[in-house]
Amino acid sequence: MYSVLLVDDEAIELETMVHYVPWEQVGIRVAGTARNGKEALGKLAELKPDIIVTDVRMPIMDGLEFGRRAKQIDKSVKLIYLSGHNEFQYIKSALNIEAAGYVLKPIDMEELLALLEKVKKKCDEEQLAGQGGGWLLERLLLRIVREPLEERRMEWIRQWESQASGFTAHLPYGAVYMTFELPAFPGGMRSAVTAIRDAADNEGTASEAAALGELAYDAAECARAVLKQRLDAAIVLETGASTLFVLFQGKSQQWEHSYWELLREELSQAVGGNVDLSIGLSNPYKGFPLLKEAYEESKRCNDEKLYRQAGAVISPGTVSGVKQSEELNAEHAVAALIGAISASEADRVSQVLDDWFTGMRQDRIERNYAVRAIIQLLTSLEQHFAMLMAGTVRDHLLADHWKELSTLPTIAHFHAYTLRFCGELLKAASERDLDRNQSVADQITKLIADRYHLPITVEDIAKEVYLSPNYVRSIFKDKTGETILDYLTRIRMGHASELLKDRSLKVREIAHKVGYENVSYFCSVFQKHKGSTPNEYRKMHL
């Protein structure tokens, strides 16, 4: 995967490029960003990007000066310029320093993607020209399985076939897609109280990522050594973090499921044992033009690990269909969890989650539908236990669940993530102060939940709880870490976000439904909280 450095002095433009250009789909990863040419120049040696996408006009050091200096440091780096100024002198200057292309702002996504494909092809040609032997064979195979265009893919296949001396064209070959994951429950499914305590105490996301990075390297080296001893011909590729793709030809017994099950155990032990290794196998294929099909079949089989408790060998004949349905009901699970957490019953929390995720696995709910249901469950718990989420607990719990869940490989890992979340709620609930002030804060939260759609004030709230406005402000801030106004605004913005998903509602109607008579003021508050206007938010989420 090629890397790109993005340079633009406008924060919104930079964020748009990072998050809304489908980089991974075109085989590119974002190595880093910078706000001007000087900052980008400082990052160049460290990041070593293959491609630079930079604005032309920037403060401190503009894009053209940066481009000239970047080319002096790395002649092979490819420069793409962006500018809102359609002026010939900028285009001419860019071309004079060997720019790979020039795109006008606002960016036309199709135009940018087409240019990136051209730049990638140039990078491919330059890389392959400087490579040879087995490394060339691996790079060509990687391009074959990732190339979406058939004509270009056939070009790579012809080059690969001419170099693949270890493979015989008339013999069948197979594909294997391997993934290595840290176990969802490292000690197995122990008692509910122990599992929840461990989940709540586990803050090792960063260390897990580092461990997986080391694991991927060790696994690749180990797999190459073992597979090349066991198979007549094999190529082992690292296609992603902790992911390997193997193309092989071998004797008849090497197509058997049991052969790969033994090999899976050997590889797992060789990289330390405390790892889940999932292997997706393809059927036998003949004819190298079908290399991509073999790869995709092995990957589909590997995707079946979503429904497994731990690593496994998965053949095409053992893969069943999935249920693409929104009927997975989170309401009953939410109600049961609210009762269990409120009563500090860890065993019941564990049992509810065990039953819910077991049903999800047995019903074979499609991944995206499963993630949506989990987010619904977590969001409902957040809303009900809003008063528990103050200070560091608040920062830990109010995570971007979609982002977190989308990286997890199996339903077992979804289960562990949800268990950890509920463990934090249980811990917060057990430590909650039960004095009178907490009761007052709870009353205020309930009042806001009931009347957020009305023009409610602190004075109104104070009358309801028979205290002075200043004392009410002090209590609420002490118990929640938020002012009453901030909390009310957050609740309103949360409801507004949900209402914006209904295209039939106008922004004016939504503003009124969440307690704002002045639509302009509502839009201003919404943009401050969500980083976009209501209409922009609606476009991004529909």
Side-chain angles (χ1 to χ4, degrees):
M1 189 173 279
Y2 292 114
S3 61
V4 63
L5 172 62
L6 305 175
V7 191
D8 199 310
D9 63 313
E10 293 288 341
I12 293 177
E13 297 282 351
L14 198 58
E15 185 153 344
T16 298
M17 282 198 289
V18 170
H19 295 292
Y20 297 106
V21 176
W23 297 107
E24 290 194 3
Q25 291 181 24
V26 294
I28 298 173
R29 67 176 179 85
V30 177
T33 63
R35 296 291 296 274
N36 58 65
K38 184 177 180 181
E39 182 186 348
L41 209 58
K43 294 184 175 183
L44 200 60
E46 175 193 352
L47 300 177
K48 296 182 175 62
D50 302 294
I51 305 164
I52 295 171
V53 179
T54 177
D55 194 10
V56 171
R57 287 193 170 183
M58 296 182 293
I60 304 177
M61 181 187 293
D62 68 21
L64 299 179
E65 177 62 23
F66 164 59
R68 279 190 286 271
R69 296 194 187 187
K71 278 290 188 181
Q72 291 172 356
I73 295 171
D74 183 357
K75 291 183 179 179
S76 66
V77 71
K78 305 295 179 290
L79 294 166
I80 294 176
Y81 282 98
L82 307 173
S83 178
H85 308 277
N86 187 7
E87 301 172 7
F88 180 71
Q89 61 264 34
Y90 286 102
I91 300 174
K92 185 177 179 182
S93 297
L95 294 176
N96 284 341
I97 53 173
E98 302 176 24
Y102 189 98
V103 178
L104 293 176
K105 292 182 176 181
I107 296 172
D108 182 305
M109 191 66 73
E110 290 186 8
E111 181 184 357
L112 177 60
L113 294 178
L115 180 55
L116 287 171
E117 284 296 335
K118 290 180 182 178
V119 171
K120 273 182 56 191
K121 186 173 183 180
K122 182 67 175 175
C123 290
D124 288 342
E125 291 168 353
E126 290 179 3
Q127 280 203 13
L128 291 176
Q131 297 168 357
W135 179 244
L136 172 61
L137 206 59
E138 290 182 15
R139 296 299 294 181
L140 281 169
L141 183 58
L142 194 59
R143 282 160 175 72
I144 290 167
V145 299
R146 286 181 171 169
E147 179 55 59
L149 300 176
E150 184 177 2
E151 183 178 351
R152 194 171 172 200
R153 185 165 65 248
M154 293 307 297
E155 178 185 331
W156 296 128
I157 288 173
R158 284 190 291 272
Q159 291 186 43
W160 185 86
E161 192 168 2
S162 68
Q163 300 285 335
S165 56
F167 285 78
T168 306
H170 67 275
L171 293 179
Y173 60 86
V176 178
Y177 196 93
M178 295 185 180
T179 51
F180 297 79
E181 289 97 20
L182 296 178
F185 299 96
M189 286 299 292
R190 294 156 293 172
S191 73
V193 176
T194 303
I196 288 178
R197 186 185 302 120
D198 288 351
D201 291 341
N202 182 9
E203 298 176 0
T205 304
S207 60
E208 286 181 10
L212 276 175
E214 293 179 12
L215 182 65
Y217 178 81
D218 293 342
E221 295 305 306
C222 175
R224 282 195 180 93
V226 172
L227 292 171
K228 287 183 178 179
Q229 288 179 359
R230 302 287 189 272
L231 301 170
D232 295 342
I235 297 177
V236 182
L237 300 178
E238 294 176 65
T239 54
S242 65
T243 302
L244 302 176
F245 169 57
V246 182
L247 185 74
F248 75 95
Q249 282 184 329
K251 301 177 181 65
S252 58
Q253 65 266 28
Q254 293 169 347
W255 295 93
E256 295 174 4
H257 188 277
S258 58
Y259 175 86
W260 286 96
E261 190 58 60
L262 290 172
L263 194 57
R264 186 185 73 84
E265 292 179 10
E266 182 178 353
L267 286 172
S268 295
Q269 292 173 5
V271 295
N274 189 26
V275 63
D276 289 339
L277 169 56
S278 299
I279 296 179
L281 295 174
S282 77
N283 282 307
Y285 280 78
K286 274 190 179 181
F288 295 134
L290 297 176
L291 281 172
K292 185 175 176 67
E293 283 79 358
Y295 164 82
E296 289 177 342
E297 184 176 53
S298 67
K299 186 176 183 302
R300 283 194 300 273
C301 286
N302 183 274
D303 289 341
E304 171 71 10
K305 68 178 180 286
L306 179 69
Y307 304 103
R308 307 296 174 103
Q309 290 278 28
V313 176
I314 306 164
S315 304
T318 63
V319 176
S320 304
V322 299
K323 186 177 181 180
Q324 297 191 0
S325 169
E326 304 231 21
E327 294 176 4
L328 183 61
N329 191 344
E331 291 181 8
H332 295 306
V334 167
L337 287 170
I338 287 173
I341 292 169
S342 299
S344 296
E345 295 180 354
D347 288 296
R348 189 148 64 101
V349 169
S350 180
Q351 188 60 57
V352 170
L353 291 178
D354 284 353
D355 293 344
W356 198 59
F357 282 101
T358 297
M360 186 184 296
R361 189 181 297 108
Q362 290 175 346
D363 290 344
R364 299 184 59 80
I365 302 297
E366 194 270 336
R367 182 186 181 92
N368 287 334
Y369 290 112
V371 170
R372 288 175 196 165
I374 296 166
I375 291 173
Q376 180 189 347
L377 180 142
L378 296 174
T379 302
S380 297
L381 292 176
E382 283 176 349
Q383 291 173 350
H384 185 86
F385 292 106
M387 288 301 301
L388 295 179
M389 294 188 286
T392 56
V393 174
R394 169 186 166 80
D395 295 337
H396 188 70
L397 287 175
L398 292 178
D400 184 341
H401 297 306
W402 185 274
K403 182 179 179 181
E404 296 289 339
L405 290 166
S406 65
T407 65
L408 299 179
T410 71
I411 288 175
H413 288 82
F414 294 166
H415 186 170
Y417 179 92
T418 309
L419 188 65
R420 182 162 56 246
F421 181 90
C422 290
E424 289 288 350
L425 285 178
L426 275 166
K427 186 162 62 174
S430 68
E431 296 170 354
R432 180 171 50 187
D433 186 4
L434 297 178
D435 63 16
R436 179 172 179 272
N437 288 351
Q438 183 62 56
S439 176
V440 171
D442 289 344
Q443 282 181 266
I444 295 170
T445 304
K446 187 175 186 308
L447 279 169
I448 290 173
D450 293 338
R451 304 185 192 178
Y452 71 89
H453 58 290
L454 301 173
I456 188 172
T457 66
V458 174
E459 286 71 22
D460 296 331
I461 292 171
K463 289 176 183 177
E464 291 285 340
V465 295
Y466 305 101
L467 295 170
S468 72
N470 285 340
Y471 192 40
V472 163
R473 290 188 183 96
S474 176
I475 290 174
F476 194 86
K477 181 68 182 293
D478 179 59
K479 292 301 176 183
T480 68
E482 285 184 290
T483 66
I484 292 176
L485 179 59
D486 286 344
Y487 179 77
L488 173 61
T489 303
R490 180 164 64 81
I491 295 300
R492 284 172 166 172
M493 293 305 103
H495 285 285
S497 299
E498 289 300 313
L499 291 171
L500 282 166
K501 295 176 183 178
D502 184 352
R503 288 185 177 275
S504 67
L505 292 175
K506 296 179 180 179
V507 171
R508 181 184 303 278
E509 293 175 296
I510 292 171
H512 294 165
K513 283 178 178 290
V514 295
Y516 292 90
E517 292 298 323
N518 187 314
V519 179
S520 297
Y521 180 65
F522 163 73
C523 292
S524 174
V525 174
F526 188 94
Q527 184 166 18
K528 180 181 177 181
H529 277 258
K530 298 296 183 180
S532 62
T533 67
N535 282 325
E536 288 171 346
Y537 184 92
R538 173 172 272 169
K539 289 177 183 177
M540 287 188 289
H541 291 79
L542 289 180

